[in-house]
Amino acid sequence: MCFLCLFVADLGVLSRAMAKAKIVILGGGFAGLFTALEIAGAADVTLVSDSDHFLFTPMLYEYLSGEVEEWHIAPRYKELLEDNVRTVQSSATAIDLKSQTISLANQQTLNYDVLVLAIGGITNYVGVEGAKEFSKPFRKLEHADNLRALMVAALDRIPPDMPALDVRRELTFAVVGAGASGCELSTKMADLLYDAFHRRALQGEPRVLVIEMSDRIVPGMGDQIRVIVEDALRQSHVEVHTETRVVKVTPDGITFEQEGSQESLKTAAVVWTGGVKMNPVIEHLDVEKSPRGLLMVQPTLQLSQQVNVFALGDIAFYPDASPTLAGTAQLAFQQASLAGNNIKAYLEGREMKTRHFEELGEALSLGTERAAVLTAGKAFGGALARQARFALYTSRLPTWHHRLRVGASWFFEGTTPRPLLPLGLER
Ligand SMILES: Cc1cc2nc3c(=O)[nH]c(=O)nc-3n(C[C@H](O)[C@H](O)[C@H](O)COP(=O)(O)OP(=O)(O)OC[C@H]3O[C@@H](n4cnc5c(N)ncnc54)[C@H](O)[C@@H]3O)c2cc1C
């Protein structure tokens, strides 16, 4: 046989072996879904997620306010992935790295040749009394739906003749954590509530507080963007409490400590954006971890002892990434492209790559009319930043097809918020 024929025959054997290799991706968020899109068709790929859709979390605030719709930011996997990726909707309950098997809540067991760990983090209530039981998380679509329903129910309880002081007490909402998420959420909630007050001709005003332990809001961000966020919080009438520690959450209130003295407030809801912690499935893995419990990964995104296991996104500690990138979608989605390349290289026996991850800038939604954008070292705010954020995020959505559909919808149908109408009129 000629040399070229041997080469082509070898390639055929290799691609058949690759096609048979079983790759299981756990998690279908920024890290997992974008990895699946990278390696679709290169092997026998299965994506396991506890939900049936991807979620573009940076726009969950706009979903709360009705500026965007569910299909824009939470497309079903079956719309994004072709037949060359199998999807299993179930929760991974245990990972056995020795036998290379995954146990799922639906009693299924999956074997893998290559495993991608991308199940993200969960809300961290940092042991505050009552926080887990009584405060509301804000990480998923249903959390936004619940919060909107709570705001509507609280407004519906207020008769038009209720005195302003009583109204303020009944309509107090506290957001815990003034990182980007807390500032975005509190301004969005305040704008929606003020708008509803106006429409319903209620007396007085609602009260939205954002409570932060450190001495400043958006602690991980630079001063340029902080100034814009502070201004937006003022314009949305959000009360900012820095150097304040939440000590207790009850079914209808919050207690916090400021300069050594404690204060308790009645609240219509407390929303917790205070932090992220390890997923329990990862906590149980006996592999090298960072002091915060994140999986230590090699520059190739492989675990050091298990070369057929890749970890990325919020559960992985990548030593070369700047601390401001840690725990962000922009890191997860850049890692997905590296993971996709390296998984294919691993299967083909090629050399794997490493990559320096870039800071792609910041974009914060601030209330229903404004945003803040930091790009190429320059920050700007206001309505223009809101438009820029929509344009930027159109380009970050998964798949060209979805981007085009959503971009057209935002362009032609607009992104006007949906007011908090009385329950019977809400949809
Ligand atoms: C409200 C909000 C706003 C945010 N805004 C921004 C922003 O503006 N910019 C930014 O860069 N970052 C932002 N982030 C952070 C960003 O969402 C995360 O860094 C990013 O999603 C991490 O990607 P990931 O794939 O690691 O995890 P995730 O996106 O959380 O995905 C994890 C996936 O795993 C699934 N899963 C979890 N447990 C299991 C299990 N046991 N079995 C199977 N599946 C499981 C989940 O359902 C999910 O699909 C925001 C986060 C939130 C919550």
Side-chain angles (χ1 to χ4, degrees):
M1 206 188 279
C2 69
F3 176 74
L4 185 64
C5 305
L6 274 174
F7 178 69
V8 171
D10 274 358
L11 272 184
V13 172
L14 186 63
S15 64
R16 274 196 299 281
M18 267 183 69
K20 279 192 195 141
K22 284 193 177 119
I23 304 181
V24 174
I25 302 174
L26 289 188
F30 280 90
L33 172 73
F34 282 87
T35 304
L37 290 168
E38 289 279 335
I39 58 172
D44 174 356
V45 183
T46 303
L47 180 128
V48 179
S49 177
D50 55 5
S51 83
D52 65 351
H53 60 265
F54 168 71
L55 178 60
F56 193 84
T57 47
M59 294 201 119
L60 194 54
Y61 317 100
E62 281 94 337
Y63 172 71
L64 173 77
S65 60
E67 288 162 87
V68 305
E69 291 179 32
E70 180 176 338
W71 72 267
H72 294 142
I73 63 155
R76 306 267 175 276
Y77 296 124
K78 65 173 191 274
E79 287 161 29
L80 301 172
L81 295 165
E82 312 220 344
D83 292 346
N84 50 15
V85 177
R86 191 177 315 115
T87 53
V88 175
Q89 190 187 341
S90 186
S91 193
T93 50
I95 300 164
D96 188 334
L97 296 174
K98 280 208 184 83
S99 64
Q100 301 194 175
T101 53
I102 311 291
S103 308
L104 302 183
N106 68 3
Q107 309 303 325
Q108 235 183 306
T109 303
L110 299 177
N111 301 308
Y112 65 82
D113 298 306
V114 174
L115 175 64
V116 180
L117 294 171
I119 54 176
I122 58 172
T123 304
N124 188 357
Y125 298 97
V126 291
V128 170
E129 186 184 339
K132 189 169 176 196
E133 294 82 357
F134 304 120
S135 66
K136 311 293 166 202
F138 193 76
R139 297 183 62 81
K140 293 177 179 289
L141 278 183
E142 59 265 31
H143 299 156
D145 288 335
N146 291 342
L147 179 58
R148 191 173 165 102
L150 268 170
M151 290 199 286
V152 167
L155 283 160
D156 285 358
R157 285 195 296 270
I158 310 291
D161 57 352
M162 187 185 258
L165 266 180
D166 296 343
V167 172
R168 187 170 152 81
R169 200 180 50 244
E170 292 301 315
L171 282 180
T172 295
F173 290 83
V175 175
V176 182
S181 200
C183 294
E184 293 182 272
L185 183 59
S186 56
T187 47
K188 199 68 90 183
M189 289 170 69
D191 281 8
L192 284 171
L193 289 164
Y194 270 86
D195 172 76
F197 252 63
H198 178 66
R199 288 171 190 274
R200 296 172 186 221
L202 298 179
Q203 301 188 35
E205 50 183 18
R207 187 179 186 194
V208 178
L209 301 91
V210 64
I211 301 171
E212 168 61 41
M213 241 167 68
S214 88
D215 63 352
R216 66 195 72 182
I217 60 155
V218 286
M221 295 186 172
D223 287 343
Q224 269 194 76
I225 210 147
R226 184 172 302 108
V227 171
I228 298 172
V229 179
E230 278 167 349
D231 183 50
L233 287 161
R234 249 188 319 273
Q235 295 207 48
S236 295
H237 309 275
V238 173
E239 223 175 280
V240 179
H241 294 257
T242 49
E243 296 184 274
T244 305
R245 199 166 58 89
V246 176
V247 289
K248 189 174 169 184
V249 183
T250 61
D252 59 358
I254 189 166
T255 303
F256 50 83
E257 197 174 273
Q258 210 166 20
E259 292 177 356
S261 60
Q262 289 200 354
E263 188 180 345
S264 295
L265 290 179
K266 180 175 159 59
T267 49
V270 175
V271 195
W272 199 274
T273 70
V276 179
K277 71 170 189 176
M278 247 330 83
N279 200 304
V281 183
I282 300 297
E283 259 171 17
H284 293 127
L285 274 186
D286 184 19
V287 292
E288 192 187 354
K289 296 194 183 136
S290 76
R292 277 192 52 222
L294 301 173
L295 298 175
M296 296 294 293
V297 291
Q298 302 295 305
T300 53
L301 297 174
Q302 291 163 292
L303 300 189
S304 45
Q305 303 298 317
Q306 277 82 18
V307 289
N308 62 336
V309 181
F310 293 75
L312 56 157
D314 282 3
I315 56 165
F317 182 76
Y318 189 85
D320 184 35
S322 98
T324 49
L325 273 180
T328 63
Q330 50 170 306
L331 177 62
F333 117 123
Q334 292 183 66
Q335 287 179 329
S337 103
L338 178 64
N341 174 82
N342 283 352
I343 291 165
K344 286 188 238 168
Y346 173 79
L347 293 176
E348 291 166 13
R350 279 190 288 117
E351 198 180 329
M352 286 182 234
K353 289 194 174 142
T354 62
R355 184 176 154 187
H356 176 70
F357 299 112
E358 292 163 43
E359 302 215 20
L360 304 172
E362 308 282 358
L364 279 72
S365 168
L366 298 167
T368 52
E369 286 166 25
R370 288 172 287 276
V373 170
L374 176 76
T375 178
K378 291 260 177 296
F380 61 104
L384 182 66
R386 181 180 179 275
Q387 293 304 333
R389 189 171 182 273
F390 270 96
L392 173 74
Y393 281 163
T394 314
S395 70
R396 296 275 160 78
L397 291 166
T399 80
W400 273 107
H401 182 246
H402 187 63
R403 270 172 233 155
L404 286 172
R405 283 183 66 214
V406 173
S409 165
W410 288 345
F411 187 78
F412 293 112
E413 288 154 34
T415 54
T416 314
R418 186 158 44 89
L420 296 174
L421 298 175
L423 185 60
L425 301 175
E426 272 272 314
R427 60 171 171 87

